[in-house]
Amino acid sequence: MTANRYLEGPFAPVNEEVTAHDLPVTGRIPAGLNGRYLRNGPNPLGHVDPATHHWMLGEGMVHGVRLRDGRAAWYRNRWVRAASVAEKLGEPRRGRPLQGDMDFATNTHVIGHAGRTFALMESGPPPYELTDELDTIGPSDFGGTLPAGFTAHPKLDPRTGELHAIAYLPGGDHVQHLVVDATGKVIRATSIPAAGHGMMHDFSLTERHVIVYDLPLTFSMEALGAGQAVPYVFRRDRPARIGIMPRAGGEVRWREAEPCWIAHTLNAYDDGSSVIIDLVRYPGWFDASEHRAAIPVFDRWTLDLASDKVHERRLDDRPQEFPRVNEGVVSRPHRYGYTAVMGALIASMAPLGAKLPGEAFTNALLKHDLVRGTSEIHSFGRDAAVGEGVFAPSASSTSSAEAAEDDGYVMAYVHNPDRGAADLVILAAQDFTGEPVARIHLPTRIPLGFHGSWIPDA
């Protein structure tokens, strides 16, 4: 049998949907932390050929924990019921088809917006709407207002309530900046020419600008014809381009940077005549087919709007990914950022034979103070695979305009090797290196996956 690193160890899929109530807790769940922590990720359903399986393409499964009044009320994991998933499970299709062959069990992110829950991915498939208890309602086009596909990484402006997105189709000659209002309707769609066919997994938003990344990882008809699971190739002779457009639309100004791949951005903001962007960057190259890449590092880009200059500065050279910020400061100046050191992920992506630094094999969450230029680390241990850390504001901070940016908690699923199952770990952001405030013990293992959200009760 051919081995596949994404079908083994912390990546191995789970085979059952589980529901559990009144979960055991070590510590105490903070009072007022009422809502759901949800996370999406690929979890292949049925037979998978290990010779061809690619981590990015497994059917989406959402894992969720409901917190209420100091209790962990439930844990659930559910496959997103795209048509193919419903067929495999012998169930009726959910909802009506929207885009035919673009139907897919969205596996990349899960968010709350307009009082609804959406599972997301990029590059064509529509979002799938879920119930509060993670059952699939069906594909969504936001009430008939979505022109085509959506994105894996929308940005919610906390002041306007508008959800911004950059959507694209493989091989298209443009991308679209979409604005979804607070009621869940697309109110604006602006086309941005982008004939380079790049994979735009993420973008950035400031108070005045939309920033898109046209990078050397590009769609390839030849790779598609050859049966490559993810038909994108890294063109080393192609520069990275950063496009800056006014939020309301208008001329896109392009600047060049050194070839690289940017999967995820932390946040961006305007600073006089500059734009500041903090992001995770893969210097040099990214092989989508083999899922191999240069080691990701945490950088700051300063875009000088008065010139064509892009100034790059290394913030932290430790291998890390999945940057997150307090969502209350999206598009505005931020002080803190949170990233994950995911040992199994970094090791799986490293070039064959590469010598990795020792910290690449640990599992930890990092808190970066970008004003002081310092960082704190909360380590979980070599076998305690950790996922993305998501910030949840404290109950008091949501009602106070004077609350500190880090007044809240960081949540992540962490594998507990002693139990062979996952814990939802809650850290106090202002006591980041201290003992977890709470460990919620889940009844099953959770594979390493992608992105999630804290969705507070309305």
Side-chain angles (χ1 to χ4, degrees):
M1 177 181 292
T2 302
N4 185 301
R5 61 193 185 277
Y6 296 120
L7 295 172
E8 302 172 343
F11 299 98
V14 294
N15 300 317
E16 295 181 336
E17 294 180 327
V18 175
T19 301
H21 297 278
D22 293 320
L23 307 169
V25 178
T26 298
R28 179 173 295 180
I29 297 171
L33 200 58
N34 295 319
R36 296 171 297 147
Y37 174 69
L38 308 181
R39 201 224 65 197
N40 202 350
N43 194 94
L45 173 62
H47 172 73
V48 176
D49 183 353
T52 59
H53 174 67
H54 195 291
W55 187 39
M56 295 180 185
L57 298 182
E59 289 92 344
M61 175 178 273
V62 177
H63 301 259
V65 175
R66 174 74 164 96
L67 305 183
R68 182 192 293 121
D69 300 329
R71 296 186 304 111
W74 53 250
Y75 162 79
R76 285 180 168 87
N77 63 323
R78 296 291 187 271
W79 274 288
V80 178
R81 260 54 169 193
S84 59
V85 172
E87 181 179 357
K88 289 180 181 179
L89 294 173
E91 300 175 355
R93 181 170 184 157
R94 308 297 206 274
R96 61 181 180 86
L98 296 179
Q99 296 179 31
D101 60 357
M102 294 304 293
D103 182 61
F104 187 78
T106 46
N107 69 6
T108 312
H109 202 352
V110 55
I111 65 167
H113 186 64
R116 299 152 72 189
T117 303
F118 298 99
L120 308 176
M121 69 182 295
E122 68 196 83
S123 191
Y128 260 80
E129 185 176 356
L130 311 177
T131 69
D132 286 353
E133 296 186 342
L134 308 186
D135 295 319
T136 300
I137 296 172
S140 173
D141 57 6
F142 298 129
T145 63
L146 183 65
F150 199 55
T151 182
H153 287 288
K155 313 289 183 191
L156 179 68
D157 185 319
R159 289 170 175 79
T160 67
E162 293 176 339
L163 190 69
H164 293 251
I166 293 293
Y168 71 97
L169 292 172
D173 61 0
H174 70 282
V175 300
Q176 283 190 317
H177 170 225
L178 305 174
V179 182
V180 184
D181 70 11
T183 71
K185 298 292 195 311
V186 178
I187 58 172
R188 190 166 68 249
T190 303
S191 292
I192 300 173
H197 312 308
M199 178 186 284
M200 293 194 185
H201 184 65
D202 203 353
F203 76 106
S204 297
L205 183 73
T206 74
E207 289 185 87
R208 302 197 304 266
H209 301 98
V210 175
I211 299 101
V212 296
Y213 304 98
D214 188 14
L215 305 174
L217 188 61
T218 60
F219 178 76
S220 166
M221 284 299 298
E222 292 79 8
L224 180 66
Q228 186 169 308
V230 179
Y232 285 81
V233 298
F234 195 91
R235 294 172 49 189
R236 295 174 184 264
D237 60 338
R238 187 174 184 267
R241 296 199 311 160
I242 304 102
I244 307 169
M245 184 185 78
R247 265 207 199 191
E251 179 186 3
V252 181
R253 299 174 59 186
W254 294 96
R255 286 160 173 76
E256 289 192 1
E258 290 296 317
C260 65
W261 167 241
I262 298 165
H264 303 115
T265 66
L266 175 79
N267 191 36
Y269 58 90
D270 301 304
D271 183 24
S273 62
S274 298
V275 171
I276 309 297
I277 308 168
D278 291 339
L279 46 79
V280 168
R281 177 173 176 263
Y282 292 80
W285 64 283
F286 188 103
D287 185 333
S289 174
E290 294 294 329
H291 207 231
R292 304 281 185 185
I295 300 301
V297 291
F298 190 39
D299 282 0
R300 170 166 288 185
W301 280 4
T302 301
L303 311 184
D304 184 348
L305 301 182
S307 70
D308 289 331
K309 301 295 184 182
V310 179
H311 304 283
E312 301 178 5
R313 179 163 68 90
R314 181 64 38 82
L315 297 174
D316 195 318
D317 61 3
R318 286 174 287 192
Q320 56 199 284
E321 248 293 5
F322 290 10
R324 296 297 294 255
V325 71
N326 179 339
E327 302 292 317
V329 299
V330 167
S331 78
R332 271 75 177 181
H334 59 273
R335 175 172 179 175
Y336 301 105
Y338 307 89
T339 57
V341 182
M342 308 163 77
L345 177 63
I346 298 299
S348 75
M349 294 176 63
L352 296 174
K355 185 176 181 180
L356 296 174
E359 57 263 52
F361 297 98
T362 193
N363 292 284
L365 294 175
L366 299 175
K367 177 186 179 182
H368 301 276
D369 184 332
L370 299 162
V371 171
R372 297 178 61 190
T374 59
S375 64
E376 298 176 87
I377 184 168
H378 191 106
S379 295
F380 296 100
R382 191 179 181 100
D383 297 322
V386 61
E388 174 186 65
V390 174
F391 185 86
S394 70
S396 60
S397 72
T398 57
S399 59
S400 171
E402 304 302 319
E405 183 186 324
D406 62 347
D407 183 3
Y409 307 94
V410 178
M411 301 179 175
Y413 289 135
V414 181
H415 182 68
N416 186 325
D418 294 332
R419 296 194 309 111
D423 295 336
L424 175 57
V425 175
I426 303 176
L427 304 178
Q430 294 181 337
D431 183 22
F432 197 74
T433 61
E435 284 296 309
V437 173
R439 278 182 173 268
I440 300 167
H441 304 299
L442 309 183
T444 186
R445 193 175 60 79
I446 296 180
L448 276 179
F450 295 144
H451 308 290
S453 300
W454 168 247
I455 303 176
D457 291 347

